[in-house]
Amino acid sequence: MRFCRSKCCWCVGIQASAMAMSADNIRGFALALSSSFFIGSSFIVKKIGLKKAGTYGVRAGSGGFSYLYEPFWWLGMITMIVGEIANFSAYAFAPAILVTPLGALSIIVSAVLAHFVLDEKLHIFGVLGCILCVVGSTSIVIHAPKEINVESVKQVWNLATEPGFIVYSCVVVIVVLVLIIQFTPRYGQTHMVVYVGICSMMGSLTVMSVKALGIALKLTFSGMNQFVFVQTWFFTVVVLICCFLQLNYLNKALDTFTTAVISPVYYVMFTTLTIFASMIMFKDWASQNASQIVTELCGFVTILSGTFLLHKTKDMGNSMNTEPIIFSETELSHH
C-alpha cells in the first residue's frame, strides 16, 4: 500500500486517522452505524403503528393510548431499544468524538424511509435544512470539550448538586411544566416545537442520569456495588420519569407532524441541550480555547438556519403534486 509522501495537511490528516482507527474504534464505529439505522427506522415503524391505531381508537396526538395495542408500535419500540443499546455499547469501545456525530445518520435514515414508506415528501429546501442541521450539530459535538473522568456515583451526585446544574434542572422542569400545562392544549397540534421541546429538555436530564446509572452498573459489575447508595436509586427514578415523558410526547409529535421534520429538529434540540447540560454539570468549558468556542457558535448558527428551513418548508413536499397556486387579482397587482 502506497502513502502520499507530501506534507500537505490533508494527507497527514488521512494518515493520522488511519493509524488512530484501532480495532476498538472500528467496533465502536460499526455499533454506532447500526444504532443510527435502528433508531432512524424505529421512527417509521412506530408511526405506522400510530396510524393504524388511529383508525380504530383515539389518536396519540389527541391524548389516546390505543397505540399500546398495536404490534407495529411495539416493534418500533423494540427497534429503538436495540438502537439505544448499540449506541450505549459503542461508547464502551470508541470515544464520544467518533460515536456522537454518527447519531445524525439516523436523521438521514428516517427521512429516506419516510419518503419511500410513508410517502412524506421532503422539499429540496427541507433536504438542505437537514444537511445544515447535521453539519451544525456535528460541528458542535466534534469541538465539544472532553468530559472529566467520573469513577463513582457519589462523584456524579456532587456534580449534580452544585448550584449551576441545580439552576439548570429547575429551569428545565419549570419550562416543561409550563409547556405541558399552558402551551400543549393550545399549540401542541400546530407547533411541533412544543412537543419536541418537552422531549429534548427532559432528554438532557435523562442523559445526565443515564451516565450516572451507567457508572453505577459498570462499577457494580466490577465488584463495587453502587446500588447500596440512595443516589443510584434517585438517578434511576429520574431516568424512568424522564423516559416516560419523552416517550409520551414523542408519540404525540410523530402522530401530528411528518417524520422527516420531527427527526432532525428533535436531534438538533436534544443534542444542543445535552451538550449544554454536560458543560454545566461537568464544567467542560474550562478546557476550551477561543477557536473551539467560535466553532461551536458557528455550529449553533448553522443549526438555527437548518431548523428555520425545516419549519418553513415542512408542508411544501406534500404539496408539490397538488393543484397549482392561483393568485388573485389583488395579489397579482402587487407583483
Side-chain angles (χ1 to χ4, degrees):
M1 181 176 180
R2 297 177 62 185
F3 291 94
C4 176
R5 296 183 179 180
S6 65
K7 299 299 182 180
C8 64
C9 295
W10 185 82
C11 294
V12 173
I14 293 296
Q15 293 177 16
S17 299
M19 290 185 293
M21 202 68 173
S22 63
D24 281 347
N25 278 6
I26 293 175
R27 294 190 188 98
F29 179 76
L31 285 168
L33 283 180
S34 62
S35 170
S36 296
F37 175 79
F38 281 117
I39 293 175
S41 60
S42 71
F43 281 98
I44 308 302
V45 180
K46 285 172 67 178
K47 182 145 190 179
I48 293 175
L50 289 169
K51 283 187 172 183
K52 287 180 174 292
T55 60
Y56 58 79
V58 181
R59 296 177 55 187
S62 301
F65 294 94
S66 57
Y67 59 84
L68 293 176
Y69 301 97
E70 179 55 48
F72 271 99
W73 184 85
W74 284 107
L75 178 60
M77 273 300 302
I78 294 173
T79 305
M80 178 174 282
I81 291 172
V82 172
E84 293 295 346
I85 292 175
N87 187 59
F88 182 82
S89 301
Y91 283 99
F93 295 98
I97 196 171
L98 173 64
V99 177
T100 309
L102 293 177
L105 295 178
S106 63
I107 298 174
I108 300 174
V109 172
S110 180
V112 171
L113 290 179
H115 178 84
F116 292 103
V117 178
L118 301 178
D119 199 29
E120 295 180 356
K121 305 301 181 183
L122 192 62
H123 192 269
I124 184 62
F125 289 114
V127 175
L128 178 60
C130 287
I131 294 174
L132 288 174
C133 290
V134 172
V135 170
S137 298
T138 303
S139 176
I140 291 176
V141 172
I142 289 178
H143 294 88
K146 295 182 179 180
E147 294 180 348
I148 62 174
N149 293 326
V150 180
E151 299 178 352
S152 69
V153 172
K154 287 188 174 181
Q155 185 178 351
V156 180
W157 178 259
N158 291 334
L159 295 171
T161 52
E162 291 189 357
F165 191 72
I166 289 178
V167 171
Y168 173 80
S169 300
C170 291
V171 170
V172 166
V173 172
I174 292 172
V175 173
V176 167
L177 289 176
V178 170
L179 288 175
I180 292 175
I181 298 172
Q182 295 292 332
F183 288 86
T184 297
R186 299 179 183 178
Y187 308 108
Q189 297 291 320
T190 56
H191 295 75
M192 66 176 175
V193 176
V194 176
Y195 290 151
V196 177
I198 294 172
C199 295
S200 301
M201 284 185 283
M202 297 308 295
S204 66
L205 298 181
T206 302
V207 171
M208 300 300 104
S209 299
V210 165
K211 182 175 179 63
L213 193 56
I215 292 172
L217 289 170
K218 180 180 178 181
L219 293 175
T220 299
F221 289 144
S222 66
M224 301 170 59
N225 188 7
Q226 299 293 302
F227 287 88
V228 297
F229 302 116
V230 67
Q231 292 91 337
T232 302
W233 294 104
F234 175 83
F235 286 122
T236 303
V237 172
V238 172
V239 169
L240 294 175
I241 294 175
C242 292
C243 285
F244 173 78
L245 286 174
Q246 283 180 261
L247 181 61
N248 185 33
Y249 285 95
L250 183 59
N251 284 330
K252 292 178 183 291
L254 288 172
D255 193 43
T256 307
F257 306 98
T258 59
T259 308
V261 177
I262 289 294
S263 297
V265 174
Y266 175 58
Y267 170 79
V268 168
M269 295 182 67
F270 171 75
T271 303
T272 302
L273 289 171
T274 298
I275 292 175
F276 185 64
S278 180
M279 289 176 65
I280 294 175
M281 185 169 175
F282 296 103
K283 298 179 176 59
D284 295 323
W285 61 78
S287 61
Q288 286 191 298
N289 54 41
S291 176
Q292 290 173 316
I293 295 174
V294 170
T295 303
E296 289 179 5
L297 290 175
C298 292
F300 272 108
V301 173
T302 306
I303 289 172
L304 292 176
S305 301
T307 304
F308 175 80
L309 276 178
L310 285 168
H311 272 288
K312 291 299 181 181
T313 62
K314 63 181 179 181
D315 297 322
M316 289 185 179
N318 292 325
S319 61
M320 291 176 65
N321 298 323
T322 58
E323 297 180 1
I325 299 174
I326 301 176
F327 293 98
S328 64
E329 294 181 2
T330 304
E331 290 172 317
L332 288 173
S333 64
H334 290 289
H335 289 275

